[in-house]
Amino acid sequence: MTKGLRNKMKLEQLKEILQAKVLCCGDHLDREIEMVCGSDLMSDVLAFIKADSLLLTGLTNPQVVRTAEMAEITAVCFVRGKQPHAETIKLAEARKMPLLTTGLSMFESCGRLYREGLHSCDETK
Amino acid sequence: MKPNESKPSSGADPSENSGAFAGPDSTRYTKIQELVYELKVSDAMMRNIITTTPDTSMSELREILRANRISGTPVMEGGKMVGVISIEDFIMWLGSGKADCPIKEKMTTEVDTMYANEPLVHAIGKLDKTGYGRLPVIDRQSGKLIGIITKGDIIERLLHKLEIEYHEEEIHRYRASHIFEDIIGDKVALTFQSSVKGKDFSRAGEASSGLKKTLERLGIHPQIVRRAAIASYEAEINVVIYTDGGTITASVQPDKIRIDVNDTGPGISDVDKAMQPGYSTASEWVREMGFGAGMGLVNIKKCADKMELVSTVDKGTHLRIYIDINNTQEHSKAG
């Protein structure tokens, strides 16, 4: 029916859906994402994530931002209310990469975004 | 904010309004089709709205339309839109030969409107279906009139957007090809090196971050840059995790990028085994950082067009990655 057409979502709206708090770069919430990847394994993220996606993760170290930078991920949202290290936020600010944190679990976060029409990164377009 | 109103475009089924834009093969979309879904009504509408009041006379309307070079206006009363008057209404009135009268006697009162955050394709569908020349645009939250959209506005916006994207792509290609055209030599390569500190996880990725930036500046295709950056980053992480340090050297040639990652030990005892997905000798602290799952070399291989790995225990490891600059297809090797 709508095959081939991907739903896009502004970070602003995604923030509402995940009831997330913005940790940095709140002035870039007009960016849009098409796909979502939920993982704590950075090598998996590097292997499968597509550019312009959101990364949902429980990891909070600066390597998350580095990984996101290499893979051209639009924004990162930490799950289970995790608070990243100050260094992580500093690095993200320098890269103008919005960071969010949600109190929801990984499962619930993925479920809500999937329901809103966002897709997984390993699905073929 | 009511839950239903917080969502722009409220997940409307795009297939229902595709109208003239649905191609014969519905799984493939042209650039224009992509844009009409991507762009919102607010991106194309005129924000500078000329309005009239119900008591403006038809003869005054002529001057308003002419002076502003527009074909119709919303009719406002006390901050509320009560109708739309168009050049068609004006011509009908002129043709009837009747005496001058206020706009309110000739205007359309049942007005079709658009929400500002609807995709542009909905406006195209509505203009087509209703035959109207213009649609007032309402802000979904406040209910206020914030613009007006015509077919002309839509076409202008689409052409503008296409021009920008075309221009960006042109600059990319120009710069990429040019740097090598300007250098004279039988063999040309641009080489740059960064050192990587071992065991220092906080700085892991800096070298690859720099490499990525440089490749972007050289105007190399984003797809290629991304593959080079991911491969280099995984290799850099390996250097940080397992060794006391090393170097990453990138050599950009007109047709390919070569990345050499060298370290001085401890070496890999079984290279074949190390290449197997999931095989890892990483310690717990590395795994806690989200790495060390035995996917690094596999990922590098997936990103590279060619990869060579030579390692001697206690001496060091030399990893060489080639990425073909002209191979911009999405890589799905070994995926």
Side-chain angles (χ1 to χ4, degrees):
Chain A
M1 187 180 61
T2 56
K3 203 177 158 214
L5 257 177
R6 288 153 282 155
N7 267 341
K8 289 187 181 181
M9 189 185 287
K10 286 215 163 100
L11 290 174
E12 189 70 59
Q13 190 191 351
L14 187 134
K15 185 189 120 191
E16 299 294 327
I17 293 167
L18 295 181
Q19 295 157 4
K21 221 176 77 197
V22 179
L23 298 170
C24 72
C25 305
D27 49 334
H28 291 295
L29 295 189
D30 57 336
R31 291 191 195 155
E32 282 185 322
I33 58 143
E34 287 182 24
M35 284 175 278
V36 181
C37 176
S39 179
D40 288 347
L41 191 54
M42 291 302 115
S43 282
D44 270 358
V45 172
L46 287 167
F48 296 114
I49 207 162
K50 302 278 198 301
D52 308 320
S53 335
L54 172 85
L55 171 63
L56 283 167
T57 186
L59 274 184
T60 53
N61 64 62
Q63 292 314 314
V64 172
V65 176
R66 291 266 187 228
T67 300
E69 180 195 358
M70 296 305 148
E72 280 163 359
I73 293 167
T74 304
V76 178
C77 182
F78 303 104
V79 295
R80 284 201 169 282
K82 293 199 181 174
Q83 204 56 36
H85 313 177
E87 200 156 322
T88 306
I89 298 183
K90 218 172 93 191
L91 199 59
E93 268 169 355
R95 304 271 173 305
K96 297 193 175 57
M97 181 184 298
L99 296 182
L100 298 102
T101 184
T102 172
L104 303 176
S105 70
M106 176 72 97
F107 182 76
E108 170 95 30
S109 304
C110 293
R112 286 194 183 194
L113 295 177
Y114 193 84
R115 193 178 56 194
E116 294 294 329
L118 289 174
H119 286 270
S120 152
C121 285
D122 35 284
E123 273 175 45
T124 41
K125 295 181 235 180
Chain B
M1 223 191 314
K2 285 177 228 152
N4 278 339
E5 290 176 349
S6 64
K7 293 181 276 178
S9 83
S10 64
D13 181 0
S15 64
E16 70 186 17
N17 249 322
S18 44
F21 286 89
D25 178 358
S26 63
T27 58
R28 291 194 54 203
Y29 290 84
T30 64
K31 187 73 207 163
I32 289 281
Q33 285 170 301
E34 227 180 279
L35 287 176
V36 294
Y37 283 102
E38 188 185 309
L39 293 170
K40 301 277 180 274
V41 168
S42 56
D43 295 325
M45 69 184 187
M46 284 278 292
R47 287 170 192 276
N48 195 357
I49 327 164
I50 311 288
T51 61
T52 46
T53 68
D55 296 319
T56 309
S57 69
M58 291 303 273
S59 51
E60 282 172 87
L61 176 70
R62 189 184 69 135
E63 189 48 29
I64 292 168
L65 296 182
R66 194 198 61 80
N68 296 295
R69 306 181 76 93
I70 51 175
S71 57
T73 82
V75 184
M76 305 292 288
E77 187 170 36
K80 247 188 97 208
M81 183 173 59
V82 292
V84 166
I85 188 89
S86 71
I87 199 158
E88 291 88 348
D89 301 323
F90 178 80
I91 292 169
M92 293 290 279
W93 166 76
L94 212 61
S96 70
K98 294 208 173 118
D100 202 359
C101 66
I103 280 177
K104 64 182 167 204
E105 288 176 24
K106 302 290 172 195
M107 69 185 183
T108 310
T109 49
E110 275 171 36
V111 184
D112 257 307
T113 60
M114 296 300 303
Y115 285 122
N117 56 7
E118 282 185 85
L120 210 48
V121 70
H122 288 185
I124 295 168
K126 205 174 255 186
L127 286 168
D128 250 2
K129 216 160 75 189
T130 61
Y132 290 141
R134 68 210 59 71
L135 294 165
V137 182
I138 308 291
D139 177 61
R140 199 184 282 264
Q141 250 103 57
S142 67
K144 285 212 171 101
L145 176 74
I146 54 166
I148 192 155
I149 191 160
T150 66
K151 279 185 183 169
D153 297 329
I154 295 172
I155 292 167
E156 195 178 321
R157 182 73 190 117
L158 286 174
L159 286 174
H160 186 63
K161 183 92 180 163
L162 280 176
E163 193 194 330
I164 292 171
E165 295 197 358
Y166 177 74
H167 194 64
E168 280 172 358
E169 184 61 27
E170 282 285 281
I171 291 172
H172 258 272
R173 286 194 196 148
Y174 178 82
R175 286 204 302 218
S177 60
H178 235 66
I179 187 153
F180 290 108
E181 277 168 25
D182 287 348
I183 304 170
I184 300 158
D186 292 334
K187 243 183 126 180
V188 173
L190 193 73
T191 304
F192 41 100
Q193 188 178 77
S194 307
S195 53
V196 179
K197 253 180 98 185
K199 308 285 188 295
D200 182 0
F201 224 108
S202 68
R203 295 186 53 196
E206 271 181 19
S208 302
S209 177
L211 170 76
K212 181 169 187 263
K213 215 160 278 166
T214 308
L215 294 179
E216 277 166 359
R217 282 184 191 147
L218 286 172
I220 290 165
H221 194 284
Q223 203 84 261
I224 302 293
V225 174
R226 190 167 182 264
R227 273 167 47 204
I230 290 176
S232 160
Y233 181 54
E234 285 279 16
E236 185 174 353
I237 293 286
N238 280 347
V239 171
V240 172
I241 294 174
Y242 297 107
T243 80
D244 291 329
T247 55
I248 297 181
T249 313
S251 171
V252 184
Q253 294 163 40
D255 59 335
K256 62 175 177 279
I257 303 166
R258 192 185 80 196
I259 302 170
D260 286 293
V261 185
N262 295 325
D263 65 66
T264 50
I268 304 167
S269 57
D270 189 339
V271 171
D272 287 339
K273 221 170 180 181
M275 286 301 301
Q276 283 170 18
Y279 178 82
S280 176
T281 57
S283 43
E284 199 49 41
W285 69 272
V286 174
R287 292 174 197 260
E288 274 167 19
M289 301 295 280
F291 290 93
M295 292 305 291
L297 288 170
V298 182
N299 269 358
I300 294 171
K301 197 170 176 193
K302 201 176 141 194
C303 288
D305 286 300
K306 197 173 143 204
M307 170 182 156
E308 295 160 5
L309 180 65
V310 180
S311 188
T312 316
V313 172
D314 293 335
K315 285 260 156 63
T317 302
H318 304 284
L319 172 71
R320 181 167 279 186
I321 307 157
Y322 289 99
I323 293 174
D324 183 354
I325 285 187
N326 300 311
N327 182 8
T328 56
Q329 296 299 309
E330 183 82 44
H331 244 224
S332 53
K333 262 203 299 180

